[in-house]
Amino acid sequence: MPPPTVPFFLTSTTLAAAAAKPQRPGPPSPPAQQQQPREARDGSRDACASYTARMRLNPQLALRLFDHLLRSGADPDHVAYALALGRCARGRDRRAAAQLHSHAAKRGAASHRRVCNGLIHAYAVCGSLLDARKVFDRGHEGDAVAWNSLLRGYAAAGDVNALREFFVGMQARDTVSWNTIIAWCVENGEYEEAIAVFREMLASMECLPDRVTLVSVISAITYLGALAQGLWAHAYVCRKGIEVEERLSSALINMYSKCGCIEGAVHVFENLGAQMNVDTWNAMLAGFTANGCSEKALELFARMEITGLVPNKITFNTVLNACSHGGFVEEGMGCFERMTKVYGIEPDIAHYGCMVDLFCRAGLFDKAEKMIQMMPMKPDAAVWKALVGACKTHRNFELGRKAGHMLIEAAPNDHAGYVLLSNIYALDGNWTGVHKVRKLMLDRGVQKVPGSSSIEIDGVIHEFISGDKSHSSKEDIYEMLSEMCQQLKVAGYVPDTSHVLLDIDDEDVKESSLALHSEKLAIAFGLISTAPGTPIRIAKNLRVCGDCHNAVKLLSKIYGRCIIVRDANRFHHFREGSCSCGDFWTVYSGSRESSALTSTRWPAADSSYPAPVDNKL
DNA sequence: GGAAATTCAA
């Protein structure tokens, strides 16, 4: 292909001057280097080597160093081009890549294998798939890097069919090729597909998975909440001796945390040794927070500070979140201050959001409003959502209405705002308000996401929506469900129909719609499909409603099961009639002691931690 | 021999 005609690179003078060097006549004369005296050639090579060494050490400065290299009068070699192109790829700088292409072509370097690979990669990640393809087509067939770089381009372009076709037609697929596909699946929410591709990878025997493969696969498993598969993946890592460096350990900690198995996360974390960085600590902090172990999170944060590790924005985001979920108002305020004063971290909108949430949950609406006023930026939907949610809990209808309207203005396409606002009106008995909000939602074409819950049985994910009758075992499930309802009534459970915020008077209809919530169906299926005493793990796409929360607490006691529900925000560990969240999200009790979480709730690091088992994926 | 692929947050 003809190289792009951009005449200069970075500073316009350097490339133009370099290209116009008198000792560089056009083809068919031999390359200029061969005409230089030997000493000059050696000097240029040394200078170039010194620059490429610096480019390797400071990849961020690669383009600038390349520029300096040209200014010094030395000739860039293929390594210098490749390193500069690598920087273009990372910075998604297509223009600079095209300039380098043009420059290399003039110097006769554009056909070098490494330069070609650099060009393909840079063009591919910058979205110039056609340019990447052109370089590829006239380049080195069979070079794995070239194939993988182009594959990456197809993945970035998002055309699944083209991606699949290219992948299938690849001459030699290696670990990177498979990793690219698996990562693409995860990025695009195709988690089951990611695991299926991983299985194919193993079956193909073409190459071995590495730690990058496992990070992606474990991430897919995390999204699915599939603990059994997570245990398998962890066992695979151990068995194959795959190095558990910072990223893989974060992924594992995250997997165990998000599968509701905090003991597993702690086990991984405590056995890491030197392979730890801020991200690992953040993952563990987030794990404690999501599982309702706020005190543990704060203890860990204190430990982190003692070890001398410097916390970052994410650390504080997580810690503030822990404070807010645990009702630690004082501690949260202290952390917020330390973040700015000790660590010099400028709070971003997320941190302000956490603080508003912290005050709101504690019912300190004055402080929350003050925080909103002092924010240097415009409050976003999350801030309003925290305020509206708390107003609903604390039945502060006036403020709730105002904040609710702000929320639907800040996020007009999110159904959550409309639902929350209509809930506020409904709790206030203002049905006119409810209808107005519903009409607004309808007029704007905003759809409510249907609630769904899933449960993994023997490695298979079963998903239920409210009132679902599509499952093959539906008779057994509904029989179990009616038994559950009877047992609940015996235990003194009264359906809390205030959670059915429909303008209907018939309590029976309200009751039956509650009884068919997706999590109850999933629990019914879990009870008939697992051995007595086995924990039941449910993943739900929305938040658990207050009625289900009450019902599941009782069910955990009636059936002697630990029921772990992952909802859109956090985990609920139901055990013997109570929940690890301490009902905090529904009714804030105000005092730390009354939180259902005690430090003895979780077993020590490895006492009840299930050792990785080599079951089939 | 290098490059390519990756986690944590309301």
Side-chain angles (χ1 to χ4, degrees), chain A residues 338-390:
Chain A
R338 270 226 303 296
M339 172 171 86
T340 51
K341 294 200 173 142
V342 178
Y343 295 101
I345 297 174
E346 203 56 41
D348 61 25
I349 188 121
H351 299 112
Y352 284 108
C354 290
M355 291 307 284
V356 172
D357 194 46
L358 173 76
F359 292 134
C360 282
R361 282 173 191 261
L364 304 168
F365 291 106
D366 291 350
K367 284 202 156 109
E369 281 188 276
K370 236 178 236 164
M371 190 50 95
I372 291 175
Q373 280 158 15
M374 69 172 266
M375 284 169 62
M377 63 288 273
K378 206 175 152 199
D380 64 358
V383 172
W384 296 123
K385 206 182 265 183
L387 192 53
V388 185

Side-chain angles (χ1 to χ4, degrees), chain A residues 250-388:
Chain A
S250 300
L252 279 170
I253 291 167
N254 190 34
M255 182 276 292
Y256 279 115
S257 302
K258 295 236 166 103
C259 287
C261 179
I262 194 69
E263 301 90 339
V266 171
H267 179 94
V268 173
F269 181 77
E270 297 296 351
N271 287 293
L272 281 176
Q275 302 270 42
M276 281 185 171
N277 64 5
V278 188
D279 298 329
T280 330
W281 285 76
N282 287 351
M284 192 63 245
L285 284 166
F288 278 137
T289 305
N291 283 278
C293 317
S294 300
E295 283 176 45
K296 292 266 181 198
L298 292 181
E299 279 168 28
L300 189 71
F301 178 58
R303 226 176 100 192
M304 182 179 178
E305 285 195 292
I306 292 168
T307 61
L309 227 79
V310 182
N312 62 15
K313 277 184 172 231
I314 295 175
T315 317
F316 279 103
N317 203 149
T318 312
V319 171
L320 290 174
N321 194 225
C323 293
S324 126
H325 280 250
F328 301 106
V329 179
E330 292 293 319
E331 288 83 349
M333 287 164 72
C335 278
F336 190 73
E337 198 176 309
R338 270 226 303 296
M339 172 171 86
T340 51
K341 294 200 173 142
V342 178
Y343 295 101
I345 297 174
E346 203 56 41
D348 61 25
I349 188 121
H351 299 112
Y352 284 108
C354 290
M355 291 307 284
V356 172
D357 194 46
L358 173 76
F359 292 134
C360 282
R361 282 173 191 261
L364 304 168
F365 291 106
D366 291 350
K367 284 202 156 109
E369 281 188 276
K370 236 178 236 164
M371 190 50 95
I372 291 175
Q373 280 158 15
M374 69 172 266
M375 284 169 62
M377 63 288 273
K378 206 175 152 199
D380 64 358
V383 172
W384 296 123
K385 206 182 265 183
L387 192 53
V388 185

Side-chain angles (χ1 to χ4, degrees), chain A residues 33-82:
Chain A
Q33 288 91 327
Q34 291 177 18
Q35 294 179 353
Q36 287 180 334
R38 192 174 167 187
E39 303 77 47
R41 279 209 314 275
D42 289 349
S44 171
R45 205 176 300 145
D46 290 348
C48 184
S50 135
Y51 275 107
T52 50
R54 286 163 65 191
M55 286 164 89
R56 250 188 215 117
L57 283 173
N58 302 296
Q60 270 97 351
L61 300 176
L63 281 179
R64 198 172 295 173
L65 286 164
F66 188 83
D67 199 41
H68 285 294
L69 187 160
L70 294 180
R71 282 165 187 270
S72 77
D75 283 319
D77 61 3
H78 62 271
V79 179
Y81 280 113

